[in-house]
Amino acid sequence: MSPAPTRRGGARPGRRPGPGAPARLAGLRAAVARTTTALAQWLRRPLTSLHLVLAVFGLLTSFGLVMVLSASAVEAFAAGGSSYSVFTRQVMFCAVGLVVFWIGLRIPPRTLRTLAPAFLVLCTVLLALVLIPGIGTVRGGSRAWFTLGSFAFQPGEPAKVALALWGAHVLAARRAVMHRWKHALSPVVPVALVMATLLVLQPDLGMTISLGIVLIALLFFAGAPVKLLVALTVGAMAGALILGLTAGYRQSRITAFLSPSTADPLGPAYQATQALYSLADGGLLGVGLGQGRAKWSYLPNAHNDFIFAIIGEELGFVGAFAVLALFATLAYTGLRIATRNTDPWLRIACATLTVWLVAQAAINIGYVVGLLPVTGLQLPLISSGGTSLVVTMFAFGILANAARHEPEAIAALRSHGQGKLARLLRLPPPEPYRAPVARPPAQRGAVRR
């Protein structure tokens, strides 16, 4: 029997698709179309923004608690004999943060806007008081903390939210004249510079960069001129570079980042190098939750600034990608809430808070993976840290509150009721936004009294 015919070169002809292949392909396309249609319909629902922000908040908070326990167990046991001391403290701050989240969710936006100036003044005063020896406490080389027993409070964290709320309050009233540099700059930029100066005096470069992000976001979403935004951004970057080169430890970090091949792996580049080793060990699926080796005194601050490296080591690329996906969802949800609101103050405030949270996460992840120099910014809702956790939860409460005040959400909640959870939390029904009544211009020829 002669062998089967082959093509030139000895290769056999490939198999032809079976008779059921077109049907399977059509079925797959139909399934994708149905899924896309269902997703589009769900995104058009009036309460989708609220459900999204609550889901991201819950997932990040739960995931953060799990990873703080895993990343801090070894160091906590070595320091105090208990593997749960850092985790217990984080849970306590989380309980306080849930109360603050509820306050941010419940307080009417008009009331919150009215309280924004007083909140800003309080934060500015605290930033000044923390610099006084005997009142402020030095931690990690910065006099940036108020300490009461075993608990510490960092006023720089709420200062960012205060600037966002107050800046949105001022700029929302100046939307018509934001094209003029004079009205765009004053008084938000001078106040922000005062707060940034107080942060520099601590010194806390990471917090100063975060405050600068809030300022640029405020001006951008308020409609400031592009030339002004470019000038402020360039000035902020130049200032950050100068501050980074004036202190020895900051300069060594920048030098190690710019020239990693010549940097001392046991010196300024130690944390960054160990973080990359941790990410490399994780691979696709990781070594297993709680099984990481970097937290065994190889990676300093494993439960704080570099917790993303522990995520990559123990949960692999899949876990790290899940974190990125959650923050990408936060970016989409926050900007969606801002665009769907009619209150100009809520629009600017929500967009600014969203940019701040996502940008801080991007900076943290960026220096862990070696794309940025180490700045010390925490990963929101995931890194260990009481003040950061509570303030971030308050910001999420404001975002959820704004989601309830979308016009379509207000109509749905009023027509169908708020539900059992809203009644349990004693949430007041959202009120529609009413623009302030413009005063009529003075009539010509009116007699002055």
Side-chain angles (χ1 to χ4, degrees):
M1 180 180 295
S2 60
T6 58
R7 293 182 181 179
R8 182 178 298 178
R12 292 175 178 264
R15 290 185 178 181
R16 295 182 179 179
R24 289 194 297 269
L25 183 59
L28 179 61
R29 290 176 178 174
V32 172
R34 287 194 299 269
T35 303
T36 304
T37 303
L39 178 61
Q41 292 177 352
W42 181 74
L43 290 175
R44 286 195 294 267
R45 291 182 178 179
L47 297 179
T48 296
S49 298
L50 178 61
H51 295 158
L52 278 173
V53 72
L54 291 178
V56 173
F57 172 73
L59 289 173
L60 283 176
T61 302
S62 304
F63 186 72
L65 290 176
V66 172
M67 292 311 305
V68 166
L69 174 60
S70 176
S72 66
V74 175
E75 184 176 334
F77 183 82
S82 173
S83 299
Y84 301 96
S85 59
V86 176
F87 172 72
T88 303
R89 182 176 300 180
Q90 189 76 355
V91 171
M92 295 174 61
F93 278 109
C94 183
V96 176
L98 288 175
V99 176
V100 175
F101 170 82
W102 174 75
I103 294 174
L105 175 62
R106 191 181 188 280
I107 187 170
R110 286 182 178 271
T111 304
L112 187 60
R113 182 175 181 178
T114 303
L115 296 175
F119 187 29
L120 179 81
V121 172
L122 175 62
C123 290
T124 306
V125 171
L126 292 177
L127 286 177
L129 289 177
V130 80
L131 297 175
I132 302 175
I135 298 179
T137 305
V138 178
R139 280 189 171 190
S142 299
R143 188 178 297 277
W145 303 84
F146 294 110
T147 304
L148 180 62
S150 59
F151 294 95
F153 169 73
Q154 190 175 12
E157 292 287 352
K160 296 178 287 188
V161 178
L163 178 62
L165 299 181
W166 174 80
H169 164 69
V170 173
L171 296 176
R174 300 188 174 194
R175 300 188 311 278
V177 293
M178 283 298 294
H179 60 282
R180 301 177 183 175
W181 283 44
K182 175 183 176 181
H183 297 286
L185 287 171
S186 178
V188 175
V189 174
V191 171
L193 289 178
V194 171
M195 300 174 73
T197 302
L198 294 174
L199 290 172
V200 170
L201 293 176
Q202 291 179 1
D204 194 333
L205 180 59
M207 199 72 69
T208 307
I209 293 175
S210 189
L211 189 76
I213 292 173
V214 172
L215 174 61
I216 297 299
L218 275 172
L219 295 174
F220 175 80
F221 291 111
V226 177
K227 292 182 179 180
L228 173 61
L229 294 173
V230 172
L232 288 176
T233 303
V234 172
M237 294 176 63
L241 181 61
I242 293 174
L243 291 174
L245 295 177
T246 51
Y249 69 96
R250 297 196 199 114
Q251 184 179 5
S252 60
R253 286 180 176 180
I254 295 176
T255 304
F257 169 74
L258 295 177
S259 181
S261 59
T262 59
D264 182 7
L266 299 179
Y270 180 75
Q271 275 184 303
T273 303
Q274 292 298 322
L276 293 179
Y277 288 157
S278 301
L279 294 172
D281 289 341
L284 180 61
L285 299 178
V287 298
L289 184 63
Q291 304 301 315
R293 295 181 291 272
K295 59 191 177 186
W296 290 80
S297 300
Y298 290 105
L299 179 60
N301 292 324
H303 61 282
N304 198 302
D305 298 345
F306 283 83
I307 196 169
F308 187 77
I310 304 300
I311 295 173
E313 181 185 19
E314 296 187 350
L315 303 180
F317 174 80
V318 174
F321 181 79
V323 174
L324 295 176
L326 285 174
F327 280 106
T329 306
L330 172 61
Y332 166 78
T333 306
L335 296 180
R336 170 193 168 98
I337 294 171
T339 55
R340 291 168 67 92
N341 261 283
T342 54
D343 186 345
W345 175 75
L346 275 180
R347 292 168 67 98
I348 299 174
C350 289
T352 301
L353 291 175
T354 301
V355 169
W356 159 55
L357 292 172
V358 175
Q360 181 166 321
I363 293 174
N364 176 275
I365 296 173
Y367 70 68
V368 170
V369 301
L371 297 178
L372 295 172
V374 178
T375 56
L377 287 176
Q378 296 174 320
L379 190 58
L381 290 184
I382 298 182
S383 293
S384 171
T387 309
S388 175
L389 180 65
V390 172
V391 172
T392 304
M393 286 186 164
F394 180 62
F396 268 91
I398 296 174
L399 292 177
N401 194 350
R404 296 180 72 244
H405 282 81
E406 293 179 5
E408 295 182 5
I410 294 175
L413 292 173
R414 285 177 172 268
S415 60
H416 302 293
Q418 298 202 84
K420 295 181 180 179
L421 181 60
R423 290 193 297 269
L424 179 64
L425 296 177
R426 298 181 180 273
L427 300 181
E431 296 291 336
Y433 169 71
R434 294 181 177 86
V437 179
R439 296 180 180 180
Q443 297 182 356
R444 293 183 179 181
V447 178
R448 295 183 180 179
R449 295 183 179 180

